[in-house]
Amino acid sequence: MTETSMTAAAAWPAGRRITIRDLQAATDRGERWSMLTSYDTLTAGVFEQAGVRALLVGDTSAEMVLGYQTTVPMTMDQLVPMVQAVVRGTRTALVVADLPFGSYQSGPEAALASAVRQLQEGGAQAVKLEGGRRVLPQVRALTAAGIPVMGHLGLTPQSVHALGGVTRVQGRGAAGTELVRDARALEAAGAFAVVLEAVPAELGRQVSAALRVPTVGIGAGPYCDAQILVWQDMAGLTTGRLPRFVKQYAGMHDTLLDAARRYSGDVAAGRYPDPAHSYD
């Protein structure tokens, strides 16, 4: 470990939860930090051990865990137990819980009730919601109640039916100017960070330069203050056509497939359980 990396590691808190102030401090000192999705206790603990600073219990679990085609069917009752599991599996990572579709769009009162559930029942330390200026009343209500809010701009999966697809790049042309305005408005309303999804890298640079709070990129280029990926995409558990921004760091699908095949073959051939795996 180099002297610079040792100094950076020492700057993060030891023995307590990372807070939004810690994330801001890292951004202020020019240190980029990582974020992943997580939906269960075991993966949460692994990611924290690896140095991932924040975990998002996202409504992407609708697709990755429950098998839906979009995030729209996810409900609070389905998501809260996953938040609880991630919190139980970690000690230091900041846990951010999504507010699923329908849980906040109707106004500040609904947003506050949903966010309170995620913090009070789920144990999360922050929530995330999608949208720009149209959700400013919700953001103001949550931050006024002491609830940290992460914004989400660009490709907003809960709006898949309006956007016409889940991998369309957002923010080109005049839409980019509007996105910058939305980002500034979210910051002014109290958001502690803004996710930028599937936007041109240059727009990611412009938004990052325009905000003091951290930008969290997912398909938004290299200029964001932090990066997030869906963990199954990152680890190679998902297969088929993936968004251009996904980089796979392992081949978990093939590894798991091989393990399951060998297990099934051993059972069929009578090789498992053998004496070493049986009780006297």
Side-chain angles (χ1 to χ4, degrees), residues 68-215:
Y68 292 111
Q69 295 299 305
T70 72
T71 65
V72 173
M74 176 58 65
T75 67
M76 286 289 295
D77 287 343
Q78 291 169 321
L79 195 56
V80 167
M82 297 185 198
V83 178
Q84 294 170 337
V86 171
V87 171
R88 284 193 291 262
T90 55
R91 293 187 176 185
T92 62
L94 177 78
V95 179
V96 182
D98 251 336
L99 297 186
F101 179 75
S103 69
Y104 65 94
Q105 283 87 349
S106 62
E109 186 174 344
L112 185 57
S114 299
V116 166
R117 281 197 67 187
Q118 293 290 33
L119 270 64
Q120 197 171 60
E121 294 181 40
Q125 295 87 56
V127 299
K128 181 179 74 66
L129 50 72
E130 297 181 2
R133 281 165 285 180
R134 62 184 173 84
V135 296
L136 291 184
Q138 288 92 321
V139 175
R140 293 192 188 102
L142 297 186
T143 56
I147 300 173
V149 178
M150 177 178 281
H152 186 152
L153 296 173
L155 179 62
T156 48
Q158 292 176 10
S159 302
V160 57
H161 299 304
L163 296 175
V166 295
T167 58
R168 289 176 177 266
V169 177
Q170 304 296 307
R172 287 182 170 143
T177 302
E178 291 301 304
L179 191 145
V180 175
R181 290 174 180 168
D182 279 338
R184 283 176 167 155
L186 285 170
E187 180 181 59
F192 74 89
V194 178
V195 172
L196 301 175
E197 181 169 358
V199 302
E202 172 58 21
L203 181 57
R205 185 195 66 78
Q206 291 176 17
V207 175
S208 298
L211 302 185
R212 179 176 179 267
V213 300
T215 52

Side-chain angles (χ1 to χ4, degrees), residues 215-251:
T215 52
V216 183
I218 176 168
Y223 306 106
C224 294
D225 303 299
Q227 297 291 332
I228 183 172
L229 283 174
V230 173
W231 86 258
Q232 291 93 336
D233 292 344
M234 178 278 297
L237 188 59
T238 49
T239 59
R241 184 178 179 182
L242 296 172
R244 177 178 176 178
F245 58 78
V246 171
K247 181 176 180 178
Q248 295 190 314
Y249 288 82

